[in-house]
Amino acid sequence: MLLLQVPVVQAVNIELIDLGTHPIAIGGVKAYETADEESMLEVPVQWGSNARVCVSVRVGFGGMYMNIPIEVKDVQLKARARVTLKPLVETIPCLGAVTISLLEVPTVDLALMLINKMDIMAFPGLNLAVNLGLKMALGSMLIYPNSMSFDIMEGGGVPPPPQGMLLVKVLRGTGLKGTELTSKIDPFVEMTVRDGRVKRTETVSNSTHPEWNEELQFIVDDPDAQSVSVIIKDDDAFNDTIVGVGAVQLSQAMFILNPGTVVPVTVDLYRPEKAGMAKFVGGGVAGSAKGIGKAGLSGGQKVAKVATFGMVGGQNKKNDGNGGKQSSKAPTPDRGTIFMEMLYTPFRAAGKAAAGNTPGAQKSNMTLGMSKKQLSSDHKGLLTVTLIRCIDLEDGGEGEVDPFVELEIDDPAGSKHEVHTSPIIMNEPSPRWNVKYDYIMVSATSTFTATVWDKQGLFNSLLSLKTLLGKKPEGRKRLGFIKIDVADVVENRRITDTWALMDSQQGEIQLKLEWMPLQLADV
C-alpha cells in the first residue's frame, strides 16, 4: 500500500504580539540557609495578563487550503520556582551557575479564540487536558527534583579535579644574600603551586648556606598553566623580608613528563623588584638521567638545572637568538641558588572511577556514603581547610589582641604531622583571614586541631609568669583551641560551622573543611 504524507499545517503567520500592561508579579521571596556555598531562593510568580497573541494558521489538504485565525489572550499563570545560585565564588561575577526548578506544576488558564471568537477552552475537560499536557512536558525537565542549569562561569564555577601530587624536597641553599643593611640572614623557603596555598620550611639561623632537607607536598591542578613559586625570606621578629625569588614552570618539566621519577632541580634566585618585571620560565632538565632515582627523595645526587629566566614571551638562554648568550635585558640571578628534588605522582580519578579493576582500590577511595565507623586509615584524600575568621577573642583585660592561628593535622596512620600558621592580624579581637590550606594524602582517621594564639610583644613577654619563674618567654599566649575528627568531614564531605574555643572563657572560630578522596596512580 502506498501511503501519501500530505502536510496539513502549511504555515503559521504571527500577526500580533501584545504583552499587555500587566507585569509579572513576584510575591514574597524566601531565602534558605544551607551548609553549601550557595544561595537558595523560593520565588512565587503570578501573571494575570491582558496580553494578546494573534496568529494565522494556513491549513491545506490536497489542492485546497484555508487560513484559520487563532487568538490567545487573558493568560493567567501561577507558579512556584526555586532558584539556586551555586557555587558562590570570590571572583566576579561571584556565582558559577544558576539552577531553576518548579516546585509544582504551574497553573495556566487562558482564552483560545478560533473562528467567530469561539473560546474552545470553555469546552469541558479541555482546560484540564492543557494542564495535564504541561505536567507531562515539564515533569522530566523542570518539576523538582529535576532542574535546568545555566553556567555563568566556565565549568559552572567548579574547579577541575586535581591532576596529581608534587613532592618537593628542599635540600639546601648556597650564596644567599642578606638585605642592604646587613649580610646576616635567617632564611626560610616559602613555596606555592595553588594560588594562596603557601607552604614553608623551618628557619635556619644565621646562615647563607642553609641546609633544610624538608619535604613539602603540593596539589597540581593543571601542569600546563601552573608553576612552582619559590620565595626566600629572612625571618625577622617584626617583619619577614623577601631576599630572593624564583620559579619553576611545570609545563614540559622533566619531573612532569616522567611521573614517579625523582628529578634534581636548582632554582636561581633574583631580586624581587627585578622579578616583578619578568616571568620565570621552566626549561627542560638536562638529557642525562644520572642521579635520577625511584620511590623517594634523597640528597647527594647530581644536579641538573631546571629553572631558567626569560622575559615575558621570550625564550630560554639556549634559544634566545644570541648564540646562547643571555640577553642584556634579562636580570642577573644574584641572590643565590636553591637545590631541590621533585617527584610528581598523578592521581587516579576520585570516587567510583578510582576503583576501576585495581584490587583494594575500592576500599581506598569509596568513602562516599560511608559512616564514621566504616572509615579506616586506608582511606586517604585531600583535606582543604579554609580559615574564615575568629569572633570576640579574649583580650586578657588589656583591650588589645594580635591573633594568629595554628592549623595542625595529626595522622596516627603514619608519621604525618603538618602545621600551618596564619598571618598575624594586629589589634583585632574579631579577625578575618579567608585563607586556605591543603593537607594532602591524609588518612580519614586523622585529627585536626586549630589553636588560636595572641602574639605578645616584648614588654608583655617579659612580664609573663614564665619569665618571672626564670623560664624563657614564648612570645605568645594561647587563647583557645578546637579539635575535629577528620572522619566527620569525610562523612559529610563538607563542614562549614562556627565552634566555641575550648580552654577559653570566650571566643569562637569559623572554619570550612572539605574532603576529596584521592589515590595515587601506580607509576
Side-chain angles (χ1 to χ4, degrees):
M1 177 183 292
L2 180 63
L3 297 178
L4 296 178
Q5 296 183 356
V6 180
V8 178
V9 179
Q10 296 182 347
V12 177
N13 298 319
I14 299 176
E15 298 178 349
L16 173 66
I17 296 180
D18 182 6
L19 297 181
T21 58
H22 299 166
I24 296 177
I26 297 178
V29 178
K30 295 181 180 179
Y32 293 93
E33 183 177 352
T34 68
D36 295 332
E37 293 181 336
E38 64 182 13
S39 179
M40 185 179 295
L41 308 174
E42 186 175 309
V43 184
V45 178
Q46 295 182 359
W47 190 27
S49 75
N50 56 350
R52 294 177 60 226
V53 178
C54 297
V55 299
S56 176
V57 180
R58 182 185 177 96
V59 179
F61 184 79
M64 302 176 61
Y65 67 91
M66 64 179 299
N67 292 320
I68 301 177
I70 299 176
E71 180 180 358
V72 179
K73 65 178 184 178
D74 299 334
V75 177
Q76 310 294 314
L77 173 65
K78 183 178 180 181
R80 282 199 310 136
R82 174 168 291 177
V83 180
T84 304
L85 311 178
K86 179 182 180 180
L88 301 178
V89 297
E90 299 176 355
T91 55
I92 296 176
C94 299
L95 66 148
V98 177
T99 303
I100 300 175
S101 61
L102 297 176
L103 298 179
E104 58 188 16
V105 180
T107 302
V108 178
D109 191 13
L110 52 86
L112 183 60
M113 317 296 289
L114 293 180
I115 303 172
N116 296 327
K117 302 295 182 179
M118 179 178 61
D119 185 6
I120 65 172
M121 295 298 293
F123 287 101
L126 192 55
N127 190 40
L128 180 61
V130 170
N131 283 277
L132 183 60
L134 283 175
K135 181 177 181 179
M136 295 176 61
L138 299 177
S140 60
M141 294 190 303
L142 278 175
I143 306 300
Y144 187 82
N146 300 307
S147 62
M148 294 185 66
S149 184
F150 305 92
D151 289 349
I152 305 299
M153 301 176 64
E154 183 179 358
V158 179
Q163 299 299 308
M165 180 184 75
L166 180 63
L167 179 61
V168 179
K169 185 171 185 179
V170 185
L171 300 174
R172 63 190 183 279
T174 59
L176 302 185
K177 302 295 191 298
T179 63
E180 295 179 356
L181 300 178
T182 176
S183 60
K184 294 183 178 180
I185 181 175
D186 301 324
F188 66 92
V189 183
E190 282 189 352
M191 301 181 68
T192 307
V193 175
R194 278 181 158 183
D195 290 340
R197 319 289 175 90
V198 181
K199 295 194 176 184
R200 57 160 289 176
T201 66
E202 296 293 332
T203 299
V204 178
S205 299
N206 193 22
S207 176
T208 58
H209 295 76
E211 296 274 350
W212 285 287
N213 291 314
E214 293 186 37
E215 292 185 355
L216 305 175
Q217 294 177 332
F218 299 91
I219 288 290
V220 176
D221 296 302
D222 185 1
D224 294 330
Q226 289 178 303
S227 61
V228 182
S229 171
V230 182
I231 300 177
I232 307 300
K233 290 186 176 182
D234 181 12
D235 196 345
D236 188 79
F238 300 100
N239 187 30
D240 298 334
T241 305
I242 299 177
V243 297
V245 297
V248 179
Q249 191 74 21
L250 296 184
S251 176
Q252 301 301 313
M254 189 63 72
F255 51 85
I256 296 292
L257 299 178
N258 296 274
T261 302
V262 178
V263 177
V265 175
T266 65
V267 180
D268 294 328
L269 301 176
Y270 299 79
R271 293 180 181 270
E273 61 271 16
K274 293 183 179 180
M277 299 182 295
K279 179 186 293 184
F280 286 94
V281 181
V285 180
S288 173
K290 295 181 180 179
I292 296 178
K294 285 276 188 178
L297 304 183
S298 60
Q301 298 173 337
K302 183 178 179 180
V303 176
K305 283 208 170 185
V306 169
T308 57
F309 189 91
M311 302 300 290
V312 175
Q315 300 176 350
N316 60 31
K317 287 188 263 187
K318 292 184 179 180
N319 301 298
D320 60 2
N322 294 321
K325 297 182 179 180
Q326 187 174 2
S327 172
S328 60
K329 295 183 180 180
T332 302
D334 57 353
R335 308 302 294 173
T337 303
I338 300 297
F339 295 85
M340 307 179 184
E341 291 174 337
M342 297 191 179
L343 170 66
Y344 174 71
T345 307
F347 290 131
R348 296 182 186 271
K352 293 182 179 180
N357 297 319
T358 304
Q362 186 171 358
K363 181 180 179 182
S364 301
N365 289 275
M366 295 299 290
T367 58
L368 182 63
M370 279 189 172
S371 66
K372 186 176 179 179
K373 294 181 179 180
Q374 294 174 303
L375 297 172
S376 69
S377 58
D378 292 330
H379 300 103
K380 296 183 181 295
L382 168 65
L383 178 67
T384 299
V385 179
T386 303
L387 171 61
I388 302 175
R389 60 174 178 162
C390 287
I391 304 170
D392 195 23
L393 296 176
E394 185 179 4
D395 57 14
E398 301 172 359
E400 294 184 1
V401 59
D402 304 328
F404 66 97
V405 183
E406 281 188 348
L407 307 165
E408 177 182 353
I409 197 78
D410 186 15
D411 191 348
S415 58
K416 191 174 186 63
H417 182 84
E418 188 174 349
V419 180
H420 292 287
T421 304
S422 75
I424 301 173
I425 298 183
M426 306 298 292
N427 195 21
E428 179 54 67
S430 296
R432 183 179 289 272
W433 286 276
N434 284 322
V435 292
K436 294 184 178 182
Y437 300 98
D438 288 335
Y439 298 88
I440 305 168
M441 298 306 293
V442 299
S443 73
T445 57
S446 303
T447 302
F448 171 78
T449 305
T451 306
V452 183
W453 298 90
D454 177 19
K455 176 69 174 178
Q456 293 186 301
L458 179 61
F459 180 74
N460 290 333
S461 298
L462 294 176
L463 294 181
S464 66
L465 179 61
K466 284 190 174 184
T467 304
L468 296 177
L469 294 176
K471 298 180 180 181
K472 182 180 179 181
E474 291 186 358
R476 62 181 186 176
K477 174 186 176 183
R478 192 171 76 169
L479 301 179
F481 70 96
I482 64 168
K483 284 184 177 290
I484 300 173
D485 290 335
V486 175
D488 292 330
V489 186
V490 177
E491 188 175 16
N492 294 278
R493 291 290 170 166
R494 180 187 294 109
I495 296 179
T496 303
D497 206 346
T498 302
W499 290 265
L501 294 176
M502 301 171 62
D503 196 22
S504 177
Q505 295 181 356
Q506 67 183 61
E508 297 176 311
I509 185 170
Q510 185 178 10
L511 301 169
K512 182 177 73 171
L513 300 96
E514 300 172 277
W515 173 266
M516 176 181 292
L518 295 173
Q519 184 185 19
L520 296 174
D522 296 327
V523 291

